Amino acid sequence: MQVPEKNANALGNEYRRPKIEQVHTMSKPETRIQQRNRAAILSAGLEIFSQYGLRGSTLDQIAESAGLSKPNLLYYFRSKDAIYTALLERLLDTWLDPLEKMDPNGDPIQEILAYVHRKLAMSKDYPRESRLFANEILQGAPHIADHLSQDLRQLVDEKAVVIKEWEAAGKIAPVDPYHLVFSIWAMTQHYADFDVQVRAVLGETDPFDGAMTYLDTLFRRMLTPKADV
Amino acid sequence: MQVPEKNANALGNEYRRPKIEQVHTMSKPETRIQQRNRAAILSAGLEIFSQYGLRGSTLDQIAESAGLSKPNLLYYFRSKDAIYTALLERLLDTWLDPLEKMDPNGDPIQEILAYVHRKLAMSKDYPRESRLFANEILQGAPHIADHLSQDLRQLVDEKAVVIKEWEAAGKIAPVDPYHLVFSIWAMTQHYADFDVQVRAVLGETDPFDGAMTYLDTLFRRMLTPKADV
DNA sequence: TCATGATTTGACCATATGGTCAAACTGACG
DNA sequence: CGTCAGTTTGACCATATGGTCAAATCATGA
């Protein structure tokens, strides 16, 4: 499966024959070892990539962190890039999930606050994922540009409609729904991505306690419709 | 090499024969050529580093962007790191400036909004600087950790007091001043650092117009004290 | 014009790094 | 036990990259 690649395909190296990808595509079940090692590699990749970025990370680092040899890594993933890409793709779902969960039929302010809550929890519980993502976007999102203008955009468009409906129903004060979403992303992810800076300023104080309170207050005040309307 | 991150790289500068540093330190005036080339190098460095990060950028890239040969680069800066560090240090002042300008004697809400405005303008006009900074923080701020817990922290502490006084005077609604500052950083810098994402979602629409309106509304609603107080 | 220091560069080096490969090893199963 | 797909690795390679250096070129002021 992955070995029988017959490197004889000395044709263009444009697109290499995926050794492993076929395991997925061609419906061969993963062995226990494969599962374990792939998981270990992705975990190690997350750790390293989130810290040093794609170009700043080396296969040796990842290999060591995964407890495997470098050639062994490349037995499971065709290249460094493949590990990175696999991570990003897996991450994207996780990333959109909290927004997807926002329920059009729930109480508007509660729904938005719950979304903020979920996002902040992600920053707290998955800071490496957040940083990996941030790094990718910072570099111009070369690996996920499509996803952004497809899936992400579509989802946000969809939720923007919902928010506008809430506004029309007088359930929340008027706001630009897109910038509302941006501000939620910005403020919640800030606590993961800029963690060192936040902690440098706050000292010993834990950022997340105060953050939740603050964000709650912020969005409540901004979104609560004026009483007289 | 990047993991080992041996001795605090700030210290490692001692043992080398600084060709250029002496020009600075030893009070020798800069020649016109020096000024021009140093400026070109810093400009090129900003361009490249902000796009690929420290490790992701190469001297050759910077050299080409600066229109100089690689050895010539190293005639003006002792190392790649030296260029990066020089950039960061120059950037720090610029970065703190908008907050410093916040006037304790001005009208509270106006002052805060003006600060937001200045920060957003910086994201718009100096996105490369913003990204360079973001990248450094994301990596754990290895080159400016000190500055953060010194200068930055002190400045924020100082302004936090001012904000608390405004609050005590009933000029603004109660808020945690630290998280208020964080939220301003987060939301304004988001438009520079996550530019691709924002644009992927907004399509053709210019982000900054809507952003200013939105942020203005947001902070006004959050900070305006309740009428009945 | 010439001397002298500043500037520039081609050639070069050591190391790091992504990736390859053939050979060796392992484990599950008939 | 034997087999063979699946797994692992030591040795190796090509290239990229940060950095050095001696020699050449240039600029400027006496």
Side-chain angles (χ1 to χ4, degrees):
Chain A
M1 41 163 8
Q2 50 284 346
V3 181
E5 179 196 323
K6 316 275 193 199
N7 60 359
N9 75 344
L11 302 178
N13 39 1
E14 292 286 333
Y15 284 97
R16 309 208 57 195
R17 216 131 235 279
K19 295 175 184 175
I20 294 304
E21 232 54 29
Q22 295 199 337
V23 175
H24 275 300
T25 312
M26 305 301 269
S27 75
K28 279 211 179 174
E30 273 195 334
T31 68
R32 206 177 295 172
I33 295 180
Q34 270 174 34
Q35 279 192 312
R36 172 169 49 79
N37 285 349
R38 295 190 133 249
I41 292 169
L42 288 177
S43 169
L46 175 61
E47 180 67 26
I48 305 298
F49 283 136
S50 69
Q51 211 167 139
Y52 306 102
L54 174 53
R55 290 218 37 196
S57 305
T58 73
L59 283 177
D60 290 290
Q61 283 177 284
I62 299 173
E64 193 194 330
S65 169
L68 299 173
S69 68
K70 185 167 62 170
N72 205 174
L73 268 202
L74 294 165
Y75 174 71
Y76 290 100
F77 288 88
R78 271 174 298 135
S79 64
K80 184 168 105 169
D81 231 81
I83 304 176
Y84 184 78
T85 303
L87 270 172
L88 269 188
E89 281 177 7
R90 210 185 51 168
L91 180 54
L92 272 171
D93 298 323
T94 321
W95 225 236
L96 298 187
D97 196 51
L99 181 52
E100 259 158 8
K101 282 208 175 73
M102 204 171 73
D103 180 7
N105 301 312
D107 174 71
I109 291 189
Q110 288 308 317
E111 283 300 322
I112 291 172
L113 286 177
Y115 174 46
V116 172
H117 197 277
R118 285 194 293 273
K119 279 293 278 179
L120 188 63
M122 289 193 60
S123 280
K124 186 179 184 179
D125 299 333
Y126 306 101
R128 298 178 307 176
E129 282 82 348
S130 185
R131 284 185 207 118
L132 182 72
F133 192 77
N135 217 304
E136 169 69 10
I137 305 286
L138 255 188
Q139 318 290 312
H143 298 76
I144 54 169
D146 287 349
H147 284 279
L148 295 186
S149 47
Q150 299 293 317
D151 314 51
L152 179 66
R153 180 174 185 173
Q154 195 181 358
L155 177 62
V156 177
D157 277 341
E158 191 183 299
K159 295 303 180 180
V161 171
V162 173
I163 294 171
K164 269 298 166 195
E165 287 170 356
W166 286 341
E167 176 189 322
K171 298 297 185 72
I172 60 171
V175 270
D176 182 313
Y178 292 96
H179 290 279
L180 171 61
V181 170
F182 295 154
S183 69
I184 293 173
W185 290 346
M187 285 190 280
T188 54
Q189 292 175 197
H190 187 80
Y191 290 97
D193 304 342
F194 287 69
D195 183 73
V196 265
Q197 182 176 260
V198 167
R199 288 182 194 275
V201 170
L202 288 186
E204 292 303 300
T205 318
D206 180 83
F208 287 95
D209 300 335
M212 193 58 238
T213 307
Y214 174 79
L215 293 180
D216 199 274
T217 307
L218 187 161
F219 285 106
R220 232 178 252 287
R221 286 184 192 161
M222 175 179 59
L223 295 174
T224 303
K226 279 195 176 158
D228 61 331
V229 174
Chain B
M1 201 173 195
Q2 56 288 1
V3 183
E5 200 73 29
K6 41 187 176 180
N7 43 24
N9 27 22
L11 301 174
N13 295 337
E14 301 305 335
Y15 61 151
R16 301 210 71 193
R17 284 273 142 251
K19 295 174 186 173
I20 293 303
E21 229 54 28
Q22 295 200 337
V23 176
H24 273 300
T25 312
M26 308 300 270
S27 74
K28 278 206 179 174
E30 273 196 334
T31 69
R32 206 176 296 173
I33 296 179
Q34 271 172 35
Q35 278 192 313
R36 172 170 49 80
N37 285 348
R38 297 191 131 247
I41 293 169
L42 288 177
S43 170
L46 176 61
E47 180 68 24
I48 304 298
F49 283 136
S50 70
Q51 210 168 138
Y52 305 103
L54 173 53
R55 286 242 13 217
S57 305
T58 73
L59 283 177
D60 290 290
Q61 281 177 287
I62 300 173
E64 192 194 331
S65 170
L68 299 173
S69 68
K70 185 167 62 170
N72 205 174
L73 268 202
L74 294 165
Y75 174 72
Y76 289 101
F77 288 88
R78 270 174 297 133
S79 65
K80 185 168 105 168
D81 231 81
I83 303 176
Y84 184 78
T85 303
L87 271 172
L88 268 188
E89 280 176 7
R90 211 185 52 168
L91 180 54
L92 272 170
D93 298 325
T94 320
W95 225 236
L96 298 188
D97 197 52
L99 181 52
E100 257 157 9
K101 282 207 176 73
M102 203 172 73
D103 181 6
N105 301 313
D107 174 70
I109 289 187
Q110 287 309 317
E111 284 299 322
I112 292 172
L113 285 177
Y115 174 47
V116 171
H117 197 278
R118 286 194 293 273
K119 278 293 278 179
L120 188 63
M122 289 193 60
S123 280
K124 185 179 186 179
D125 299 333
Y126 305 100
R128 298 178 308 175
E129 281 83 348
S130 185
R131 283 186 208 118
L132 182 71
F133 193 76
N135 217 304
E136 168 70 9
I137 304 287
L138 254 188
Q139 317 291 314
H143 298 78
I144 54 168
D146 288 349
H147 285 280
L148 295 186
S149 46
Q150 299 291 318
D151 314 51
L152 179 66
R153 180 175 184 172
Q154 195 180 359
L155 177 62
V156 176
D157 277 341
E158 190 183 300
K159 296 301 182 182
V161 171
V162 172
I163 294 170
K164 269 298 164 192
E165 287 171 356
W166 286 342
E167 177 188 322
K171 298 297 184 71
I172 61 171
V175 271
D176 181 313
Y178 291 96
H179 289 279
L180 171 61
V181 171
F182 295 154
S183 69
I184 294 173
W185 291 345
M187 285 190 281
T188 54
Q189 292 173 199
H190 187 82
Y191 290 97
D193 304 342
F194 288 69
D195 183 72
V196 264
Q197 182 176 259
V198 168
R199 289 183 194 276
V201 170
L202 288 185
E204 293 302 300
T205 318
D206 180 83
F208 288 95
D209 300 335
M212 193 57 239
T213 307
Y214 174 79
L215 293 181
D216 199 274
T217 306
L218 187 161
F219 284 107
R220 230 179 255 287
R221 286 184 191 161
M222 175 178 60
L223 295 173
T224 303
K226 280 196 173 156
D228 61 331
V229 177

